[in-house]
DNA sequence: GGTGAAACCTAACACCG
DNA sequence: CGGTGTTAGGTTTCACC
């Protein structure tokens, strides 16, 4: 999570509309975006750039279908640690988050827990993943694996356009 | 999770390199991508389009910093249901996944559980979210909320370029 | 399937209201 | 600060290999 600048510049209505539109359709060209909002292209480009420079827009991510690549099975693996030094925990988190197959990793409050969202080939690969990439660490006290039937993107913090 | 066409077309080396490059840098222009791979621009554009048409590349997503928008607190909310009809569960899942503040929703195997990854203004808003948007449903038997200290993108199923 | 070049479209920047 | 015009650069198409 990027340490946010203390709430950066306040966003006006136009900024919010830009974000909404781009959230709905991230592939919009600047020209199309400007047209939708009734702005000049230059103005629109300027605002978008400013949003980037202020860290509001972090970037874009490629959305790849794991199934098509031969990893049709997804799981959420809860990793519970014993209590340990901050450095150890951070180090392990780094390693786990960088493990191939991991789509995303969460470090959550509580009993030093991580959640790993992974994609694998099949059930056997899932077992192997847990055994070879998670429980190999001494610090890991217990794991709990749940198959992911479905994952969905929510609206997030940008309510759908209300026009 | 998009129901994958039964493993679609097999991907060759070039396809994999395209995906790796775009995963590393989703903002690459087609021209730059072609140059990196040593392909003609037209060829490169053609392959990328094919990957899209085959559903391998689903699209791009805008990466917005929730903190900058005034939602600095993130949480993972585990929602456990009683046993219910498929329609009821699906309906509830739809509703929850579409609730403002929800970044992503998981439907996992087990005791009919959902996980909601949410972003909120502060602790009070988090409490209100759980009370007003989750536990209001009769079907919800119990919830468990954990603060998210950090979330990280993993490499996923596309191992970093090995060149 | 891959290529190169022309025609078309978009973005960047300096300038003007 | 928002709008316009020019130039540089990117994408698409198509005949050809």
């Amino acid at each position: 999570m990027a340490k946010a600048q203390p709430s950066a510049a306040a966003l006006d209505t136009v900024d919010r509309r830009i974000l909404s539109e781009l959230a709905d359709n991230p592939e919009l060209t600047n020209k199309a975006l400007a047209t939708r909002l009734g702005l000049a292209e230059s103005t629109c480009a300027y605002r978008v750039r400013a949003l980037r420079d202020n860290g509001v827009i972090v970037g874009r991510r490629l959305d790849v279908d794991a199934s098509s690549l031969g990893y049709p099975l997804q799981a959420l693996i809860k990793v519970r640690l014993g209590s340990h030094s901050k450095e150890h925990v951070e180090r392990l988190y780094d390693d786990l988050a960088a493990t191939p197959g991991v789509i995303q990793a969460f470090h959550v409050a509580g009993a030093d827990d991580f959640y790993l969202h992974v994609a694998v080939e099949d059930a056997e690969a899932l077992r192997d993943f847990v055994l070879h990439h998670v429980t190999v660490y001494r610090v890991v006290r217990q794991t709990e694996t749940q198959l992911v039937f479905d994952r969905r993107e929510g609206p997030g913090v940008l309510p759908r356009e209300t026009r």
Side-chain angles (χ1 to χ4, degrees), chain A:
Chain A
M1 206 158 0
K3 186 169 285 185
Q5 31 267 73
S7 214
L11 305 175
D12 63 13
T13 312
V14 178
D15 288 326
R16 297 196 172 270
R17 292 188 63 203
I18 288 175
L19 291 169
S20 287
E21 291 287 353
L22 284 182
D24 280 353
N25 185 357
E27 321 239 21
L28 275 182
T29 63
N30 179 64
K31 185 178 184 180
L33 179 59
T35 305
R36 287 198 188 201
L37 302 190
L39 290 177
E41 297 164 27
S42 60
T43 308
C44 187
Y46 175 83
R47 311 280 299 224
V48 172
R49 175 182 294 245
L51 286 171
R52 257 172 205 278
D53 292 346
N54 291 333
V56 179
I57 293 178
V58 178
R60 286 189 176 113
R61 288 201 309 272
L62 195 70
D63 198 358
V64 173
D65 177 39
S67 298
S68 301
L69 288 170
Y71 302 83
L73 217 60
Q74 298 195 14
L76 225 40
I77 304 173
K78 179 181 185 172
V79 181
R80 173 163 295 194
L81 313 179
S83 71
H84 280 80
S85 69
K86 187 181 190 306
E87 295 90 36
H88 262 103
V89 172
E90 276 304 322
R91 176 73 199 292
L92 177 59
Y93 182 57
D94 287 346
D95 289 349
L96 288 175
T99 304
V102 174
I103 300 172
Q104 51 184 339
F106 296 90
H107 182 186
V108 300
D112 280 329
D113 283 333
F114 302 144
Y115 282 91
L116 302 177
H117 175 207
V118 303
V120 292
E121 295 93 317
D122 51 29
E124 194 185 347
L126 182 55
R127 189 200 55 177
D128 288 351
F129 183 94
V130 175
L131 291 179
H132 299 336
H133 292 114
V134 184
T135 59
V136 278
Y137 296 96
R138 289 247 179 103
V139 229
V140 173
R141 176 173 294 176
Q142 106 173 261
T143 68
E144 217 177 297
T145 302
Q146 282 180 293
L147 282 187
V148 172
F149 286 146
D150 190 75
R151 193 189 79 84
R152 210 169 286 182
E153 294 282 321
V157 292
L158 292 169
R160 309 250 143 240
E161 275 296 274
T162 53
R163 331 171 258 168

